[in-house]
Amino acid sequence: MDAVYKLLTDAGLMYTQKVSSTFIGVHPSNRDGCGVSTKHVHDLLADLVSLGWSQSEFKGLCVEVSDSERSSVYQWNKELVDNSDGQLPDFPSEAHVKYATIGGSHTNQVLRCFLSKVPSSAVGVTDGARLSLNRLQELDRDFWTACTEGATWRVISGIVPERFPSFCGLAQSAANASGHVAREESELQLCRKIHTEVAKAYQAGKTTVTYQDVKEAVLRSKPRAAATVPALFLFTLRYSGGQAQLRHMILHFAYAIDEARSLTGSDIKKLLGLSMVGKVAHATALLSKCRELCTNNSVPAAISLKYLGFLQVHIIAILLEKKKIMKQETVEKAAEECINEILRETKMTFENPFKHSSSEGSSSRSPSGKTTKEEQGLVPLVG
């Protein structure tokens, strides 16, 4: 990344500046979307108090926050703070979020903790139960100066991530490989990284994702737990994200279909098997997109629940190849028909993102446009 940073510096898109931590939040790409760990912040605080502050060792990297993304970055940071039980300081207002960290995020939070005098058990730098800048000044004046005047940061122009949206993710992976009293990537963070890369692969059109598809991106930061990544990949695919959604769809199917033995133990094993991971993830992503469309377009709850319930039944039928129950051949066509029925009943006009010219005339609905007799027998569950 040094060559990239040199190019950015030469182009005037990267510069060095002393910035107060008051105006620096955490970038949503930091630590692959996990952000900072409250425990790691306070562990690092204790380490820095013990080892002393060194500006030459601090490798802080942040990016300018544009006006268009300031609100979302502020809300993301607010959620981090809300989940910290008062151990991380909040921002006084949205306007204070002028920069967001890519590298040096935990160190920046340490500086912010001192400025806000958060509760701490650190030895020698508290006044009662809270951090004290006066005590810190007595112990380590350089550390105190970094808190009160700001540390020196490498700052990337906001133009860069606007032009190259994946830049911050790449930069934070590189920053994780080294840093100021660096914290190793945890297994949870690696799982989150795997989950993110798998989602990107599905969004790019892949229907099956293998370890080789995500290996390079996950191992780019050279995590110490690299040997466990293949096992974490299998664990993440099997247990993250879509399992709760899948169980919900299975229940919809089981309660909505009256046909005897419509769902067997073998069917459940098949749906939960590794061979179905890609198909299930793709199907749940389509269902989530349909639900999001209903929410964003204010579809009446009674209508969205009804047709999303039908969709869940149809998805399970397609995944299990239940020919007598299937209304469409693919989950894409099922999603398309779900939105078509919602548009038809509500008389709304928002775009159906699943509509393809090849599917024109292939709908399984009745010629009258009404819900088919078979569908009238399905009773969608609430939720």
Side-chain angles (χ1 to χ4, degrees):
M1 290 296 291
D2 288 342
V4 175
Y5 294 148
K6 185 178 186 305
L7 286 173
L8 292 175
T9 301
D10 292 344
L13 296 173
M14 185 173 180
Y15 54 93
T16 300
Q17 180 174 306
K18 183 176 284 189
V19 184
S20 170
S21 61
T22 303
F23 303 105
I24 309 175
V26 184
H27 194 278
S29 293
N30 186 267
R31 298 267 168 173
D32 304 292
C34 292
V36 295
S37 160
T38 301
K39 180 181 183 301
H40 286 177
V41 168
H42 285 269
D43 286 347
L44 178 59
L45 188 153
D47 289 345
L48 289 173
V49 168
S50 175
L51 297 172
W53 175 268
S54 173
Q55 178 60 57
S56 63
E57 292 295 323
F58 178 54
K59 308 298 182 185
L61 179 67
C62 64
V63 62
E64 297 172 346
V65 177
S66 65
D67 292 338
S68 61
E69 64 178 352
R70 181 166 288 111
S71 180
S72 62
V73 173
Y74 170 75
Q75 290 298 329
W76 194 86
N77 277 267
K78 188 176 187 302
E79 185 175 342
L80 279 180
V81 173
D82 291 343
N83 292 329
S84 73
D85 293 327
Q87 295 187 70
L88 295 179
D90 202 354
F91 285 92
S93 70
E94 186 177 299
H96 279 71
V97 186
K98 298 183 181 297
Y99 306 90
T101 56
I102 295 174
S105 302
H106 285 82
T107 305
N108 182 62
Q109 290 299 318
V110 169
L111 302 180
R112 289 177 52 77
C113 284
F114 269 107
L115 288 177
S116 297
K117 302 178 182 179
V118 302
S120 174
S121 59
V123 178
V125 289
T126 60
D127 184 6
R130 293 181 175 273
L131 292 172
S132 168
L133 282 171
N134 290 334
R135 297 295 299 273
L136 179 63
Q137 184 179 17
E138 295 171 1
L139 180 70
D140 188 335
R141 189 171 183 84
D142 289 339
F143 199 170
W144 174 82
T145 300
C147 290
T148 56
E149 298 181 9
T152 300
W153 291 80
R154 293 172 296 162
V155 184
I156 298 169
S157 169
I159 296 173
V160 177
E162 286 183 3
R163 178 65 179 82
F164 303 100
S166 62
F167 176 83
C168 290
L170 177 63
Q172 73 84 33
S173 291
N176 278 353
S178 62
H180 191 308
V181 194
R183 296 285 164 182
E184 295 294 334
E185 290 180 285
S186 66
E187 283 83 359
L188 178 60
Q189 185 182 343
L190 289 172
C191 285
R192 179 64 178 267
K193 183 184 288 187
I194 291 168
H195 190 280
T196 299
E197 294 302 323
V198 170
K200 287 180 181 177
Y202 285 130
Q203 290 171 3
K206 292 185 71 69
T207 56
T208 302
V209 180
T210 67
Y211 174 63
Q212 294 302 320
D213 294 323
V214 303
K215 177 181 177 181
E216 182 179 354
V218 174
L219 297 179
R220 184 181 294 132
S221 59
K222 300 179 181 179
R224 182 165 294 181
T228 68
V229 170
L232 291 176
F233 174 78
L234 293 177
F235 175 85
T236 302
L237 284 188
R238 175 168 283 188
Y239 296 110
S240 72
Q243 285 294 308
Q245 183 71 272
L246 174 60
R247 289 194 294 270
H248 202 192
M249 289 195 293
I250 291 172
L251 287 173
H252 269 273
F253 185 88
Y255 284 108
I257 302 298
D258 291 331
E259 183 179 333
R261 292 185 59 78
S262 60
L263 190 67
T264 66
S266 297
D267 291 331
I268 300 297
K269 289 181 180 179
K270 179 179 179 180
L271 289 169
L272 296 177
L274 283 177
S275 62
M276 293 291 287
V277 167
K279 292 180 180 179
V280 168
H282 180 56
T284 54
L286 288 178
L287 176 61
S288 296
K289 189 170 183 179
C290 288
R291 184 175 285 116
E292 184 179 349
L293 277 171
C294 291
T295 300
N296 293 343
N297 291 282
S298 302
V299 174
I303 295 176
S304 64
L305 286 174
K306 178 172 71 172
Y307 289 108
L308 289 175
F310 291 152
L311 176 59
Q312 293 182 67
V313 173
H314 296 156
I315 285 175
I316 294 298
I318 292 167
L319 292 175
L320 293 175
E321 299 180 335
K322 300 282 187 179
K323 302 294 185 181
K324 293 182 179 180
I325 303 172
M326 288 169 54
K327 302 298 179 184
Q328 294 86 17
E329 296 179 358
T330 66
V331 290
E332 289 84 2
K333 288 184 178 180
E336 177 188 351
E337 185 61 17
C338 172
I339 300 302
N340 280 342
E341 292 289 358
I342 289 173
L343 291 171
R344 193 173 294 114
E345 183 160 337
T346 61
K347 295 181 172 56
M348 291 181 168
T349 57
F350 61 85
E351 182 181 358
N352 185 344
F354 307 106
K355 187 174 183 179
H356 302 288
S357 58
S358 60
S359 66
E360 291 293 332
S362 64
S363 172
S364 63
R365 64 184 177 85
S366 63
S368 65
K370 297 180 180 179
T371 305
T372 63
K373 182 178 180 181
E374 290 83 355
E375 284 184 327
Q376 290 174 6
L378 304 181
V379 183
L381 303 177
V382 175

